[in-house]
Amino acid sequence: MNKAVVYRGKGKVEIEDIGYPELILKEGPGVPKSNVGRKCEHGVILKVVTTNICGSDQHMVRGRTTAPEGLALGHEITGEVIEVGRDVEFIKKGDLCSVPFNIACGRCQMCKEQNTHVCLNVNPERPGGAYGYVDMGGWVGGQSEYVMVPYADFQLLKFPDKDLAMEKIMDLTMLSDIFPTGYHGVYSAGVRTGSTVYIAGAGPVGLAAAHSAQLLGASTVIVGDLNEDRLKQARSFGCETVNLRQHDNLGEQIDQILGEPVVDCAVDAVGFEASGHGEGGGEQPAIVLNTIMDVTRVAGKLGIPGLYVTEDPGASDEDSKVGSLKVRFGLGWAKAHTFVTGQTPAMQYNRDLMKAILSGKAQIAKAVNATLINLDEAPHGYQDFDSGVAKKFVIDPHGSVKQ
């Protein structure tokens, strides 16, 4: 058996047996026809040690994408190698590894340039692939007991000391996605020693971005959100915060903190399901992009790891349904802003961030309030996460993690 978290329509996930994985991509929900039967002797089978619920998963579960029912979810995966394909040379049985959420072949032009988030060979529909995610190649998700990982020699980040890794597994599990994603947001925004930075969103990615900004030497990290519990979590590790439900003028709040109404750089850790500021603002998918342009100084950079989609069937207007938003691009142009968008190339960062965790420099689990649950509790975890709790849920399918 291989129990997994499976999407069963808007607002619903269930625990089902999806069958033990093999080193081949079989026909199934979301698998493009041209990917069916793809042999993966370059892959491995992992026994999943930890796998996390991500805000990106929530977009699908809320019905805000074209994800098909029956899709096994999960792209944040850490596991032990229990089966090795014929063509795998360097990864061995027993290795404990982090799996980058980007699926990448290591052979195409994009991979050779370290743009593993837009690999040209893993998804016949468009560049870039991921586990358990809509329109990303049909690769089976890893919120499960076991999962197949292709291109293992290239992709897997092996932990050098297995015992030490298990001691720090609640931190290391964040290397598959949110820690590199948060770091990418602030790094691409140009955060350096002394920077002032505004981060929109106090969910797990926003909190990871805030902690990353501190690691990079920011002098002041300001986090904005509508959820006071999540803002309290940001304050727990030294961030300034702005409750945007209570204050609809962000510039004024930044002025009170910094003595000027602008920051050096900003990060969008919210994405397309953004809500307007103040009471009863309603959904405004461009509000974060327009706001961070407004509060970022001239010639500043904007890191945009928050998710934006090309198809949103739940959008309130026809333009937004195809990802066309009312962004004040003229403002960004006039201020000579740099925009960095797209999925995070996790492999650019995960090894260095692993070393920061193992040395004790990075405390990412504490920053995002990592909370352990078992696989059967995952549907309830999805409900709690959707309600806005200030937690990052980590699923332990086999009871491997000691607390």
Side-chain angles (χ1 to χ4, degrees), residues 3-342:
K3 293 196 298 181
V5 179
V6 176
Y7 172 60
R8 281 298 170 197
K10 185 177 180 180
K12 188 175 183 181
V13 297
E14 295 181 353
I15 306 300
E16 301 178 11
D17 179 16
I18 62 170
Y20 190 80
E22 300 178 48
L23 297 175
I24 187 171
L25 187 54
K26 298 181 178 180
E27 185 175 2
V31 183
K33 290 183 179 180
S34 53
N35 244 6
V36 173
R38 185 169 183 158
K39 295 180 181 179
C40 297
E41 290 294 340
H42 43 64
V44 298
I45 306 299
L46 292 185
K47 178 182 178 181
V48 177
V49 174
T50 54
T51 177
N52 317 326
I53 298 175
C54 180
S56 297
D57 300 320
Q58 290 285 19
H59 293 304
M60 290 185 289
V61 175
R62 293 188 189 115
R64 298 299 296 267
T65 73
T66 56
E69 290 191 29
L71 184 70
L73 301 174
H75 56 269
E76 300 189 13
I77 308 163
T78 305
E80 179 184 3
V81 178
I82 59 173
E83 183 179 334
V84 177
R86 178 193 62 208
D87 299 331
V88 177
E89 186 175 0
F90 304 111
I91 294 293
K92 308 298 181 184
K93 287 183 181 180
D95 287 347
L96 183 61
C97 305
S98 176
V99 184
F101 77 97
N102 320 111
I103 299 175
C105 71
R107 305 164 187 178
C108 69
Q109 177 186 351
M110 290 298 102
C111 286
K112 290 177 180 179
E113 294 176 356
Q114 292 192 310
N115 293 317
T116 53
H117 55 312
V118 282
C119 173
L120 302 176
N121 289 331
V122 294
N123 184 356
E125 296 189 336
R126 67 184 191 193
Y131 303 88
Y133 208 83
V134 58
D135 297 332
M136 297 302 284
W139 301 91
V140 179
Q143 286 174 12
S144 56
E145 295 175 297
Y146 305 93
V147 67
M148 189 269 284
V149 174
Y151 305 105
D153 278 331
F154 176 65
Q155 291 201 107
L156 289 179
L157 176 65
K158 176 185 172 182
F159 300 139
D161 184 324
K162 195 171 181 180
D163 292 335
L164 177 59
M166 285 305 298
E167 291 177 13
K168 293 182 175 287
I169 196 66
M170 293 295 282
D171 292 285
L172 293 171
T173 189
M174 306 304 167
L175 290 173
S176 56
D177 183 356
I178 69 160
F179 199 7
T181 295
Y183 190 91
H184 176 65
V186 293
Y187 182 82
S188 59
V191 175
R192 60 182 185 272
T193 302
S195 294
T196 58
V197 56
Y198 172 69
I199 295 170
V205 170
L207 296 172
H211 184 47
S212 298
Q214 293 172 334
L215 292 174
L216 286 169
S219 60
T220 307
V221 180
I222 305 170
V223 181
D225 203 289
L226 303 168
N227 183 321
E228 183 57 33
D229 287 340
R230 289 182 168 181
L231 291 172
K232 182 179 178 181
Q233 180 62 27
R235 291 193 293 272
S236 74
F237 59 96
C239 298
E240 300 283 351
T241 62
V242 176
N243 188 321
L244 295 168
R245 192 176 302 280
Q246 298 172 0
H247 307 285
D248 60 4
N249 190 317
L250 179 60
E252 288 184 357
Q253 301 306 306
I254 290 175
D255 190 25
Q256 291 184 18
I257 296 169
L258 298 177
E260 57 180 348
V262 294
V263 290
D264 294 322
C265 49
V267 174
D268 174 0
V270 178
F272 74 104
E273 284 194 76
S275 296
H277 302 166
E279 288 290 346
E283 189 167 303
Q284 298 180 33
I287 185 70
V288 172
L289 294 173
N290 289 328
T291 299
I292 62 175
M293 283 189 286
D294 189 46
V295 301
T296 301
R297 64 166 172 81
V298 294
K301 295 182 180 180
L302 311 177
I304 310 173
L307 178 68
Y308 289 87
V309 295
T310 56
E311 293 184 78
D312 175 10
S316 59
D317 61 79
E318 293 303 312
D319 286 341
S320 297
K321 287 181 180 180
V322 293
S324 181
L325 310 181
K326 294 181 179 180
V327 176
R328 293 185 64 196
F329 188 74
L331 175 61
W333 190 95
K335 296 179 76 172
H337 284 160
T338 298
F339 299 76
V340 180
T341 67

